[in-house]
Amino acid sequence: MFVFPVTLTHFTNARCMLSRSLSFFKLLHPDNYTMERRTNENESKNPKKCGARCLGPITFHQRAVGDKIQLSQGCHHAMRSCATFKEGLVFSNRPVRCQERIRLRVVNDNIKWHGALRVGFTNVDPDSRSLPLPKLAIPDLTDIDGHWAAPISEKLCQAGTELEFWMSSRGSLYISNQSGQNYRLISKQINITKPLWAMFDVYGQTGSIHLLGSEMRAGLFTRKSCSIIPPALAADSSSYDELSCLDLPATTDGGEETNCLACVDHKVGVALPCGHRCLCNKCAFKIYCLNGTCPLCRRSMGVPSVTWVTAPDKQEDPEKQARKRE
């Protein structure tokens, strides 16, 4: 068998070809190359930014909620009125993936009612739902195509209990408790060929739930969702408890600028089509590539601006820039 000899010349030629290809790419897409290079340089300096293993932020959908539901804590906390046992529907703000485990905590319960939390998935986008929502997930929604839900035992929904539920690649619904016991609630019925949103019904004894996030386990690695709430807000428990989705920091009408919601380091510099100013130029491009929606209201970010990818590494305050000009 003939073996083609590999010499130092071949390695040199291959290196030259690679260098030319990279130079050609920089000529075609200089902004993208600059953005990627700066992102890699600052990755170690700012550990708060999303990486390849990030699933994106997940919260409750702020508009598609039951009549008796009150959202707080950045749309992570859903509380139903204690005067009724129904009208407690909520949905996830984005589609979820197969094997993505939705994690939640039962905050409080009310033993005067029967039954408890119901969970499931739906192919219907929450943005397309008309209000008011149906009063019950079962049977009001499950009788309609594209909705799957199952009740959880009252024993698993006591106050302080943490649960996680997910759909398998075969369309089954599973739930797991803190002890690691898995329960199959629905067997091979969920249509996974279309986008699926998580569905929650804060029903019966379950008075309120807190969405902890989500994660996907694949071998030795685990992908997790990230949080869009700045650490400064989370540290202030007095204001955080009463925080609603629209109370997250943004530029006020008076012109006062705050920090970017994503990196918490740079000043906001992007006005999104929805009117919110909550991201710096660099993070706006990352969020656009991640899910393309505003972190506050989940509306489309529209067409990306060239300033999103050509933003400088360091953004100075307007006062400092004015002093330099003087």
Side-chain angles (χ1 to χ4, degrees), residues 63-80:
R63 187 189 67 87
V65 297
D67 285 349
K68 302 302 181 181
I69 284 291
Q70 179 182 0
L71 297 181
S72 61
Q73 300 185 19
C75 289
H76 286 82
H77 188 86
M79 181 177 63
R80 191 197 72 242

Side-chain angles (χ1 to χ4, degrees), residues 75-310:
C75 289
H76 286 82
H77 188 86
M79 181 177 63
R80 191 197 72 242
S81 171
C82 60
T84 182
F85 63 91
K86 54 187 178 180
E87 298 183 79
L89 282 171
V90 283
F91 302 88
S92 63
N93 66 306
R94 62 164 175 84
V96 297
R97 304 166 175 83
C98 288
Q99 303 294 345
E100 181 178 357
R101 299 184 174 222
I102 314 299
R103 301 174 53 248
L104 61 91
R105 179 190 299 116
V106 178
V107 179
N108 58 51
D109 51 12
N110 191 337
I111 60 174
K112 75 176 183 178
W113 304 113
H114 295 286
L117 178 69
R118 284 95 182 271
V119 296
F121 297 95
T122 176
N123 292 135
V124 180
D125 188 342
D127 285 328
S128 64
R129 294 185 181 274
S130 58
L131 300 178
L133 295 178
K135 296 182 178 181
L136 299 170
I138 305 172
D140 295 351
L141 287 182
T142 53
D143 286 345
I144 305 174
D145 291 340
H147 299 81
W148 302 268
I152 302 177
S153 172
E154 297 175 1
K155 297 179 180 180
L156 299 177
C157 294
Q158 298 178 359
T161 303
E162 293 187 5
L163 302 170
E164 56 184 24
F165 68 97
W166 67 97
M167 56 182 167
S168 68
S169 57
R170 295 186 178 183
S172 298
L173 170 62
Y174 289 88
I175 189 169
S176 176
N177 58 7
Q178 290 173 299
S179 61
Q181 295 177 331
N182 297 340
Y183 304 89
R184 185 170 63 181
L185 304 182
I186 297 178
S187 178
K188 302 180 181 179
Q189 298 179 16
I190 303 175
N191 181 10
I192 63 174
T193 61
K194 298 179 180 180
L196 286 162
W197 285 261
M199 180 169 57
F200 314 78
D201 188 358
V202 187
Y203 174 84
Q205 294 185 2
T206 305
S208 63
I209 58 175
H210 188 88
L211 190 58
L212 301 175
S214 65
E215 63 181 30
M216 285 182 65
R217 302 164 187 170
L220 300 177
F221 302 100
T222 300
R223 300 180 62 188
K224 296 184 178 182
S225 61
C226 64
S227 174
I228 61 172
I229 297 181
L233 291 177
D236 186 4
S237 58
S238 59
S239 61
Y240 186 74
D241 289 339
E242 302 299 329
L243 182 68
S244 67
C245 305
L246 299 180
D247 292 331
L248 291 174
T251 301
T252 60
D253 296 336
E256 181 182 356
E257 292 187 345
T258 56
N259 289 344
C260 168
L261 282 179
C263 65
V264 202
D265 290 333
H266 297 154
K267 298 294 183 181
V268 295
V270 175
L272 301 180
C274 59
H276 287 126
R277 291 174 59 88
C278 54
L279 298 171
C280 66
N281 291 319
K282 293 181 66 178
C283 291
F285 184 75
K286 288 190 173 184
I287 299 295
Y288 176 81
C289 295
L290 182 65
N291 52 29
T293 58
C294 170
L296 294 180
C297 65
R298 299 302 171 192
R299 293 183 182 178
S300 174
M301 296 176 65
V303 180
S305 171
V306 67
T307 59
W308 296 4
V309 294
T310 59

